[in-house]
């Protein structure tokens, strides 16, 4: 975050649930710009949507063990019961699916639906989601920014009557609202430029994978050493 501040950013989004759970409060206390996470927006949306006040959360092991979602949801509505399941293999499934695609996703991640409807993936999803089905949840938070890519797979297993909440989409709405309230949007005539940095060593692999996910070519990509 300190490095991002040297780039003159006006807002930082920690676009990872595990990192949000681990470091959002400290980042907010120490940075000079607004820092948002993805847990609270997803929790808030789940509370607003649920009818029977039984909410499921799937996320990485780190996010689930932090208790961040349970705490955030119950802080908004203490009457909501939260059922949490760690689903680490879903991250691997997403990345496998993207690599199985021959080309870019044309800007629509859900084009991958056919890739993910595979017997081996469905079995993993059933193993993870069956306990939540038995808990009779009516809302499921996709508590990892990888998971919206798996909406068709997750929806087919958990049931169409269960509302799926994307923490990523809800966080994007929060970013827009904060910028609007601070009157910090760029001028309409301003041409957007995009810069991508990775702390990983393989810049070309990062660029190829990212371009596939975003559906556009990532032009400005650099390695940054922390």
């Amino acid at each position: 975050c300190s490095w991002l501040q040297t780039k003159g950013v006006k807002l930082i989004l920690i676009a990872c649930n595990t990192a949000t759970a681990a470091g959002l409060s400290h980042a907010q206390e120490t940075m000079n710009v607004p820092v948002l996470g993805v847990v609270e927006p997803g929790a808030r949306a789940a509370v607003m949507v649920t009818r029977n006040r039984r909410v499921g959360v799937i996320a990485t092991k780190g996010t689930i063990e932090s208790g961040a979602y349970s705490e955030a949801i119950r802080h908004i509505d203490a009457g909501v019961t939260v059922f949490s399941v760690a689903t680490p293999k879903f991250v691997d499934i997403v990345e496998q699916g993207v690599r199985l695609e021959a080309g870019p996703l044309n800007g629509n991640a859900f084009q991958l639906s056919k890739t993910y409807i595979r017997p081996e993936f469905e079995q993993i999803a059933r193993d993870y989601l069956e306990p939540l089905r038995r808990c009779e949840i009516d809302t499921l938070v996709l508590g990892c920014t990888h998971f919206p890519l798996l909406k068709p797979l997750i929806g087919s297993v958990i049931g169409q009557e269960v509302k799926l909440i994307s923490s990523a989409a809800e966080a994007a709405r929060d970013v827009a609202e904060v910028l609007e309230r601070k009157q910090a949007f760029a001028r309409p005539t301003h041409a957007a430029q995009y810069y991508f940095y990775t702390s990983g060593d393989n810049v070309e692999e990062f660029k190829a994978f990212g371009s596939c996910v975003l559906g556009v070519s990532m032009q400005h990509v650099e390695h940054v050493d922390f």
Side-chain angles (χ1 to χ4, degrees), residues 15-18 38-43 45-46 55-60 63-64 69 73 83-85 87 90-91 94 110 125 129 132 137 139-156 158-159 162-171:
C16 169
N17 286 263
T18 307
V38 287
V39 171
E40 199 275 339
V55 173
V57 177
I58 55 174
T60 64
T63 299
I64 296 300
Y69 269 103
I73 290 172
F83 304 90
S84 303
V85 175
T87 55
F90 277 172
V91 175
V94 169
F110 303 109
L129 300 175
L132 294 176
I137 63 169
T139 304
L140 179 63
V141 178
L142 308 183
C144 173
T145 44
H146 279 63
F147 293 176
L149 284 160
L150 295 179
K151 264 190 171 182
L153 173 64
I154 293 169
S156 68
I158 198 66
V162 177
K163 177 69 174 179
L164 303 183
I165 302 294
S166 167
S167 60
E170 298 301 327

Side-chain angles (χ1 to χ4, degrees), residues 187-210:
R187 296 185 305 276
T189 55
H190 177 77
Q193 293 179 304
Y194 301 91
Y195 298 87
F196 302 91
Y197 297 86
T198 175
S199 58
D201 294 328
N202 195 329
V203 174
E204 289 305 313
E205 180 182 2
F206 173 79
K207 182 177 181 180
F209 189 84

Side-chain angles (χ1 to χ4, degrees), residues 26-40:
H26 181 67
Q28 289 175 331
E29 291 169 359
T30 54
M31 295 300 108
N32 297 323
V33 297
V35 182
L36 306 182
V38 287
V39 171
E40 199 275 339

Side-chain angles (χ1 to χ4, degrees), residues 58-151:
I58 55 174
T60 64
K61 187 170 181 284
T63 299
I64 296 300
E65 290 183 349
S66 75
Y69 269 103
S70 296
E71 181 180 344
I73 290 172
R74 290 183 61 79
H75 179 74
I76 300 168
D77 185 346
V80 174
T81 303
V82 182
F83 304 90
S84 303
V85 175
T87 55
K89 290 182 181 177
F90 277 172
V91 175
D92 297 330
I93 289 175
V94 169
E95 297 188 356
Q96 286 181 44
V98 172
R99 291 190 169 95
L100 283 170
E101 287 294 295
L105 307 184
N106 300 318
N108 186 350
F110 303 109
Q111 297 286 347
L112 279 171
S113 58
K114 292 181 180 179
T115 300
Y116 291 127
I117 305 301
R118 294 166 175 258
E120 62 270 31
F121 293 165
E122 289 180 342
Q123 185 57 54
I124 292 171
R126 279 193 292 271
D127 292 343
Y128 280 147
L129 300 175
E130 184 55 35
L132 294 176
R133 280 178 53 84
R134 293 199 298 268
C135 291
E136 299 182 345
I137 63 169
D138 73 346
T139 304
L140 179 63
V141 178
L142 308 183
C144 173
T145 44
H146 279 63
F147 293 176
L149 284 160
L150 295 179
K151 264 190 171 182

